[in-house]
């Protein structure tokens, strides 16, 4: 039951993007096309889950063991940056088209505060490794859900007759606000 609460809470109730406002840069930057949103979701999910596992182990077996917990943020950022480089190398070899489509936003995963936020929240919530991995996967799904929904909305908005003053970013921000309010309907669920 505890795992189900973690999953429902991370995906819907406390969505990392729409409720906690972490990861807004890729949310707004990569959501113009559905294909790039799906690619970014996969890259973020991979890095988020791997970073959570590695940072959990570093926190519990190195930082806490040697009284270096104050180095948490620096250590976590170094781990995330290394993992993003790994993803970049893999994408360049496996899917050059997706690598090109993600463009500048792929290196920006390094500074995606959603990944760092999930790693830190896993430690703050005192999750064990299994709960931390489930939390990271659920947050990655929540991130992906928000990103794909928003990309679909933006693609649909491009086909609509939007007033000139609202075209582009203004209507996208209005749509993001409405999407966030829709997710507020899940509050109190868990």
């Amino acid at each position: 039951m505890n795992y189900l609460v973690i999953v429902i809470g991370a995906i819907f109730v406390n969505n990392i993007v729409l409720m906690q406002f972490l990861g807004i840069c890729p949310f707004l930057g990569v959501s113009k096309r559905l294909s790039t949103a799906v690619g970014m979701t996969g890259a973020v999910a991979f890095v988020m889950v791997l970073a959570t596992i590695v940072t959990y182990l570093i926190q519990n077996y190195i930082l806490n063991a040697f009284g270096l917990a104050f180095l948490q943020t620096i250590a976590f950022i170094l781990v995330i940056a290394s993992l993003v480089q790994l993803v970049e190398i893999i994408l360049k070899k496996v899917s050059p088209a997706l690598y090109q489509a993600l463009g500048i936003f792929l290196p920006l995963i390094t500074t995606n505060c959603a990944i760092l936020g999930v790693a830190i929240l896993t430690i703050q919530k005192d999750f064990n490794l299994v709960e931390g991995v489930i939390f990271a996967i659920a947050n990655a799904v929540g991130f992906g859900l928000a990103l794909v929904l928003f990309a679909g909305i933006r693609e649909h908005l491009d086909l609509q007759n939007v007033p000139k003053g609202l075209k582009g970013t203004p209507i996208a921000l209005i749509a993001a606000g409405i999407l966030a309010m829709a997710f507020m309907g899940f509050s109190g669920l868990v």
Side-chain angles (χ1 to χ4, degrees):
M1 186 64 175
N2 188 32
Y3 298 141
L4 184 62
V5 170
I6 291 172
V7 169
I8 300 294
I11 294 173
F12 299 110
V13 179
N14 294 315
N15 186 285
I16 197 82
V17 177
L18 299 173
M19 294 294 121
Q20 297 185 33
F21 306 113
L22 297 173
I24 297 294
C25 179
F27 178 71
L28 292 174
V30 186
S31 61
K32 291 181 182 175
R33 293 179 46 225
L34 198 55
S35 59
T36 55
V38 170
M40 179 60 91
T41 296
V44 167
F46 178 75
V47 172
M48 190 177 285
V49 172
L50 224 56
T52 300
I53 293 169
V54 174
T55 56
Y56 177 87
L57 296 172
I58 287 173
Q59 179 72 36
N60 287 305
Y61 296 108
I62 297 174
L63 298 180
N64 290 347
F66 295 106
L68 299 172
F70 61 92
L71 293 174
Q72 179 188 58
T73 305
I74 294 170
F76 286 13
I77 289 172
L78 289 173
V79 166
I80 292 166
S82 301
L83 290 173
V84 169
Q85 290 301 313
L86 178 68
V87 168
E88 198 168 346
I89 291 167
I90 291 170
L91 273 182
K92 199 173 196 178
K93 297 227 184 255
V94 173
S95 179
L98 180 58
Y99 176 78
Q100 290 295 328
L102 291 175
I104 187 67
F105 295 103
L106 190 57
L108 286 179
I109 294 175
T110 304
T111 59
N112 186 345
C113 55
I115 295 170
L116 180 61
V118 168
I120 290 174
L121 285 171
T122 299
I123 302 301
Q124 286 179 347
K125 291 178 182 275
D126 202 28
F127 287 149
N128 61 38
L129 185 58
V130 174
E131 290 170 336
V133 169
I134 290 170
F135 182 67
I137 291 169
N139 272 294
V141 169
F143 178 85
L145 177 67
L147 190 61
V148 168
L149 284 173
F150 192 54
I153 291 169
R154 287 186 75 174
E155 280 188 357
H156 185 71
L157 283 172
D158 286 343
L159 303 173
Q160 301 304 312
N161 188 16
V162 177
K164 186 177 180 181
L166 292 177
K167 282 193 183 286
T169 305
I171 195 68
L173 292 174
I174 292 169
I178 293 170
L179 187 59
M181 287 192 303
F183 270 70
M184 284 179 64
F186 294 113
S187 62
L189 190 62
V190 290

